[in-house]
Amino acid sequence: MSFWFNLVKDAFLGMLHLLWFGTNLRFGQRRISNYLNIYVKTNTGNTLSVELNPKWDIKNLKEIVAPKMGMAPEDIKIIFAGKELHNSIIIEECDLGQQSVLHAVKTPLKKFKNHDTSDSIEECTSETSDWNNSGSKPMNETLTDLSLDSSDQQCLSQEEQEENRAHFYIYCSGPCKTVTVGKLRVKCAKCNSGAVTVDRDPQCWSDVLEPNRITVHCENDFCPASSIVLSEEEFEITYAHFYFKCAKHASLGEDDEAIPLPLIRANLRNVPCLACTDIREIVLIFPCEAGHVTCLDCFCDYCTVRLRERQFEFDTDKGYYTVPCPAGCPNSFISEIHHFHLLSAELYETYQRFGTEEYVLRAGGLLCPMPDCGMGIIPPTDEEQAKKDDEQRRRIQCIGGCGYVFCRICLQGYHTGKCELQSSDIFTSASSPRNYLVDPLKAKDAKWDEASKKIIQISTKPCPMCRTPTERDGGCMHMVCMRAGCGYHWCWVCQMQWTRECMANHWFG
């Protein structure tokens, strides 16, 4: 009888075990997809990996971290984005991403003056949130609703600010490589530790972009400021270093920074675009006194037209190749060139090339005239040029590029004697029909006759003496001009008279 009882009992327990295992498995799958994998750094230099349920509060986090730090939960305070977090704050309210970094530091001892004696009595706080008035939501959460423009806050009610959430916009250089939403972070300017609490929130972009604007209290035991011994009347001032992180990918650590784009903002005032007059949610505000507003589509169209016509301007004060406000406002150049990442990758590459060419030309340099090269060349200094004769001064070689040797004056293949006038075909769209827009960047490659000229220019070089186009179809670099009355011996590489030095260095290439 007992045998059958035990058999039924074992079968029943086995079924319960299977049901319990299946429930845990389903829960485990749900946990893996919903939980946050974050890192907690302590002020002693240790880093803890913790899995958090977004529905937990900060008190739950302290209970997990405290045993690993060998401390009581009430002796720990959690710092994130420049703020100490209250025990009652829910994890998901902090806008944490995967692999975000929190800081857990020991609660400092509080000093209370004893009125009966002159001695100080040190007591530990029982609850960080009860003693410390700085505990609040993290800075990235409280400032996400602002555009760092105090006038925007004044024109909106509290309900409107909650409904119209503004964001910071950044350029993520990797891995996203795009313009996207960013998060504001802060660390100590002396030790680069994120275990800091700001003395006040930033109120404008100057507070964020300019150094030494806002002070912080650094909780890092290894901070140089904390090791300096000063008198009771003196104290070491520690400033904040603000930076931005991309909100689209998991954090790559505290060194993972993005480039802020302060001209891109949420259109909290519903200002129409100066070009299309549409009211868009996200706009770009030009840095002119009037603050002209344009939607991102019109900004891209404006930059594309100016770029294709090579109408970008060079800001001599800051050394940027950029554009001003399309309304013609003075002092309106865009100084942060990463705003141009709003353009396509192809157009941004063209922008970089044109900007580099403009810099080379302004520095007194030259661009290699060989098709498909365009390498920037900075000629020797005046002192070096003074040691050369006129023929040597005119000879320029594209070093680091295609190796083409050409005349500095006429930009044709290197030659002796005076330069001959060359007919130049300059493209202009003035004669084009108004209803037929031509891309000047592509038009130079769309000429039937120019195609053959380009092939000849690439595959031939002129005789340095008589300028007769010469094609090399093999053999050594020793060329002999076959034109009647010339017969000049020259080097295909140097494009100068053939010498024993040419024979030794590159006779056969």
Side-chain angles (χ1 to χ4, degrees), residues 81 83 136-146 168 201:
K83 295 292 183 69
S136 61
K137 287 187 177 182
M139 184 175 56
N140 69 292
E141 179 70 11
T142 56
L143 294 183
T144 296
D145 295 329
L146 309 178
F168 303 113
D201 288 343

Side-chain angles (χ1 to χ4, degrees), residues 39-216:
Y39 297 102
V40 179
K41 285 191 174 183
T42 67
N43 56 340
T44 58
N46 296 326
T47 302
L48 309 176
S49 179
V50 180
E51 263 194 347
L52 295 180
N53 186 330
K55 300 298 182 182
W56 291 348
D57 56 23
I58 296 300
K59 188 175 182 180
N60 297 135
L61 173 61
K62 291 182 179 180
E63 293 172 351
I64 296 175
V65 174
K68 298 182 180 181
M69 296 179 63
M71 301 171 59
E74 59 268 17
D75 294 337
I76 297 175
K77 63 179 180 179
I78 303 296
I79 296 177
F80 177 63
K83 295 292 183 69
E84 178 188 346
L85 305 184
H86 276 307
N87 285 345
S88 59
I89 292 181
I90 307 301
I91 298 295
E92 64 183 0
E93 294 180 357
C94 299
D95 197 21
L96 288 173
Q98 293 291 347
Q99 301 178 8
S100 293
V101 179
L102 299 178
H103 293 268
V105 299
K106 182 179 179 180
T107 302
L109 298 175
K110 298 295 180 180
K111 294 183 178 181
F112 301 96
K113 183 68 67 175
N114 189 326
H115 297 288
D116 297 332
T117 63
S118 59
D119 297 333
S120 297
I121 301 175
E122 295 186 351
E123 298 181 0
C124 273
T125 61
S126 60
E127 284 290 340
T128 302
S129 58
D130 294 337
W131 292 107
N132 194 340
N133 293 327
S134 68
S136 61
K137 287 187 177 182
M139 184 175 56
N140 69 292
E141 179 70 11
T142 56
L143 294 183
T144 296
D145 295 329
L146 309 178
S147 61
L148 288 186
D149 189 343
S150 58
S151 58
D152 285 342
Q153 305 170 41
Q154 297 173 1
C155 68
L156 292 176
S157 63
Q158 182 66 28
E159 292 76 11
E160 289 174 326
Q161 289 188 26
E162 289 295 331
E163 182 180 355
N164 300 284
R165 289 178 62 85
H167 296 280
F168 303 113
Y169 292 91
I170 54 91
Y171 172 70
C172 177
S173 57
C176 300
K177 298 186 182 302
T178 186
V179 176
T180 184
V181 177
K183 298 179 180 180
L184 183 62
R185 295 290 187 265
V186 62
K187 55 187 175 182
C188 176
K190 288 186 176 293
C191 66
N192 289 329
S193 171
V196 296
T197 53
V198 294
D199 293 331
R200 69 173 179 87
D201 288 343
Q203 302 298 320
C204 58
W205 276 104
S206 297
D207 286 345
V208 174
L209 300 180
E210 297 178 8
N212 301 338
R213 298 272 299 194
I214 295 179
T215 56
V216 297

Side-chain angles (χ1 to χ4, degrees), residues 413-479:
Y414 178 73
H415 58 83
T416 59
K418 295 182 180 181
C419 299
E420 294 179 354
L421 295 177
Q422 301 288 335
S423 59
S424 59
D425 298 328
I426 303 176
F427 174 80
T428 176
S429 59
S431 59
S432 301
R434 292 185 180 271
N435 59 349
Y436 184 74
L437 299 178
V438 179
D439 185 352
L441 296 179
K442 298 180 179 179
K444 64 182 181 63
D445 297 325
K447 298 179 180 179
W448 186 270
D449 294 336
E450 288 297 324
S452 59
K453 293 181 181 179
K454 179 178 178 179
I455 294 175
I456 294 174
Q457 187 174 358
I458 293 176
S459 60
T460 64
K461 293 183 179 181
C463 169
M465 181 63 69
C466 66
R467 303 187 189 88
T468 299
T470 305
E471 183 177 4
R472 175 176 170 269
D473 57 359
C476 67
M477 302 299 167
H478 184 186
M479 310 299 296

Side-chain angles (χ1 to χ4, degrees), residues 259-486:
I259 302 167
L261 304 178
L263 300 183
I264 303 178
R265 304 182 190 176
N267 192 6
L268 300 180
R269 306 181 188 181
N270 294 326
V271 180
C273 170
L274 83 165
C276 67
T277 69
D278 288 344
I279 298 178
R280 304 290 183 89
E281 294 182 1
I282 306 173
V283 294
L284 184 139
I285 305 175
F286 282 92
C288 54
E289 184 177 355
H292 286 115
V293 174
T294 180
C295 67
L296 301 187
D297 290 338
C298 289
F299 174 75
C300 292
D301 292 341
Y302 167 62
C303 292
T304 301
V305 172
R306 299 281 295 222
L307 185 64
R308 288 175 174 172
E309 295 178 355
R310 299 203 73 149
Q311 293 298 314
F312 268 57
E313 300 182 37
F314 202 84
D315 186 356
T316 55
D317 293 336
K318 298 183 179 180
Y320 295 136
Y321 191 58
T322 181
V323 291
C325 173
C329 300
N331 303 320
S332 60
F333 283 123
I334 294 178
S335 58
E336 177 50 75
I337 61 176
H338 288 89
H339 285 91
F340 300 122
H341 275 289
L342 290 168
L343 302 173
S344 65
E346 180 182 0
L347 285 175
Y348 186 79
E349 182 180 353
T350 302
Y351 160 76
Q352 287 184 307
R353 186 175 74 252
F354 284 0
T356 303
E357 293 175 357
E358 185 70 18
Y359 176 82
V360 170
L361 295 175
R362 285 179 174 271
L366 300 168
L367 301 178
C368 177
M370 178 63 69
D372 299 329
C373 181
M375 172 68 70
I377 305 168
I378 303 294
T381 61
D382 295 339
E383 295 181 359
E384 295 174 340
Q385 291 281 29
K387 300 177 182 179
K388 301 179 180 179
D389 55 27
D390 293 338
E391 293 292 334
Q392 290 178 323
R393 291 194 195 101
R394 290 195 297 108
R395 182 180 180 274
I396 302 294
Q397 184 174 6
C398 180
I399 300 176
C402 64
Y404 184 55
V405 183
F406 59 95
C407 174
R408 181 175 185 174
I409 299 177
C410 65
L411 302 181
Q412 302 298 315
Y414 178 73
H415 58 83
T416 59
K418 295 182 180 181
C419 299
E420 294 179 354
L421 295 177
Q422 301 288 335
S423 59
S424 59
D425 298 328
I426 303 176
F427 174 80
T428 176
S429 59
S431 59
S432 301
R434 292 185 180 271
N435 59 349
Y436 184 74
L437 299 178
V438 179
D439 185 352
L441 296 179
K442 298 180 179 179
K444 64 182 181 63
D445 297 325
K447 298 179 180 179
W448 186 270
D449 294 336
E450 288 297 324
S452 59
K453 293 181 181 179
K454 179 178 178 179
I455 294 175
I456 294 174
Q457 187 174 358
I458 293 176
S459 60
T460 64
K461 293 183 179 181
C463 169
M465 181 63 69
C466 66
R467 303 187 189 88
T468 299
T470 305
E471 183 177 4
R472 175 176 170 269
D473 57 359
C476 67
M477 302 299 167
H478 184 186
M479 310 299 296
V480 180
C481 183
M482 302 303 294
R483 182 179 179 180
C486 182

